[in-house]
Amino acid sequence: MSAERIYIYKRYERFWHWSQALLIIAMMVTGFEVHGSYHLLGFGQAVHWHSLAAWTLLVIWAFTIFWQFTTGEWRQYLPSLQNIPAMIRFYAYGIFKGEHSPYHKTAAQKHNPLQRLTYLALLAVISPLIWGSGLLYLFYAEWGNFGLDKYLSLEWVAVTHTLGAFLITAFFFVHVYLTTTGHTVFAHIKAMITGWEEIEENSKH
């Protein structure tokens, strides 16, 4: 089976992807320790490294937003309802029957419609949930200065942050699984390392 190689992921995009992945893993490990799920680093160290990873990711996000808008890459995340049923059928059934994906990736359109909706949910719902509650948690001592203590409960902020953590964890593991759904198990991972994606010739027809 022949394949065509196309350059999909730019250098900064690959840096952004892997640095975000490592920082999210660090926040999951330290965050669930802060939550009391297990003992690994100790509560104080877990809080320190969790906060450091979060601030680092926020800084990288700021640069990434600038990069996306100056390069036009933000268009990759515009949602589309076209071919959603076909993509759902492929992931739920067709992929296990050896069928080819109904979506054909290009440098101009890297994400299929279902991925675009998922990333929209991540950006519009999960990210504000986890970052908003995380910052409120971090600056709890300042609530009184802004009158927030009259309206907010630390317990509910903690519950909200934990909910966001479970959602981002679920997204992470689903994302890892989907990386194995290329024409080989490691094809998508290899593409995110090298930037080059192999597109099967007969999958384009």
Side-chain angles (χ1 to χ4, degrees):
M1 184 180 298
S2 59
E4 175 189 358
R5 294 177 76 242
I6 57 175
Y7 190 67
I8 292 282
Y9 303 111
K10 300 178 178 68
R11 185 177 300 176
Y12 181 83
E13 198 168 8
R14 302 195 309 271
F15 161 77
W16 153 241
H17 177 272
W18 291 112
S19 60
Q20 178 178 226
L22 290 173
L23 289 167
I24 286 176
I25 291 172
M27 285 189 288
M28 286 193 298
V29 171
T30 56
F32 283 109
E33 179 168 6
V34 171
H35 184 67
S37 302
Y38 49 79
H39 179 83
L40 182 64
L41 301 173
F43 181 81
Q45 283 295 308
V47 170
H48 170 75
W49 289 109
H50 188 79
S51 300
L52 181 60
W55 282 117
T56 303
L57 185 55
L58 280 175
V59 170
I60 295 177
W61 268 32
F63 279 103
T64 300
I65 291 171
F66 174 78
W67 177 82
Q68 287 179 338
F69 276 94
T70 55
T71 60
E73 286 293 318
W74 62 273
R75 296 184 182 89
Q76 300 281 353
Y77 301 95
L78 291 176
S80 171
L81 297 179
Q82 187 177 6
N83 293 328
I84 287 290
M87 289 307 307
I88 293 175
R89 180 193 176 280
F90 172 70
Y91 283 128
Y93 174 80
I95 194 171
F96 303 108
K97 302 291 288 184
E99 297 179 8
H100 295 293
S101 172
Y103 183 80
H104 311 307
K105 186 181 297 187
T106 67
Q109 294 184 324
K110 304 172 187 179
H111 309 303
N112 68 53
L114 203 56
Q115 288 174 317
R116 291 184 178 216
L117 287 178
T118 302
Y119 290 135
L120 178 63
L122 177 66
L123 294 172
V125 179
I126 300 177
S127 292
L129 188 72
I130 198 165
W131 288 115
S133 60
L135 290 171
L136 286 170
Y137 211 147
L138 185 63
F139 292 104
Y140 171 67
E142 303 297 327
W143 285 14
N145 296 331
F146 297 95
L148 295 175
D149 55 331
K150 300 176 182 178
Y151 308 101
L152 296 176
S153 161
L154 184 61
E155 179 182 0
W156 279 107
V157 170
V159 169
T160 301
H161 195 64
T162 303
L163 172 62
F166 278 112
L167 290 174
I168 199 70
T169 300
F171 169 84
F172 178 85
F173 283 107
V174 170
H175 182 72
V176 170
Y177 163 70
L178 291 178
T179 64
T180 68
T181 60
H183 64 280
T184 66
V185 173
F186 297 108
H188 291 327
I189 295 175
K190 181 180 177 182
M192 189 52 75
I193 294 173
T194 66
W196 292 88
E197 182 90 38
E198 292 185 353
I199 307 297
E200 295 178 16
E201 289 290 346
N202 62 355
S203 72
K204 298 189 293 182
H205 302 288

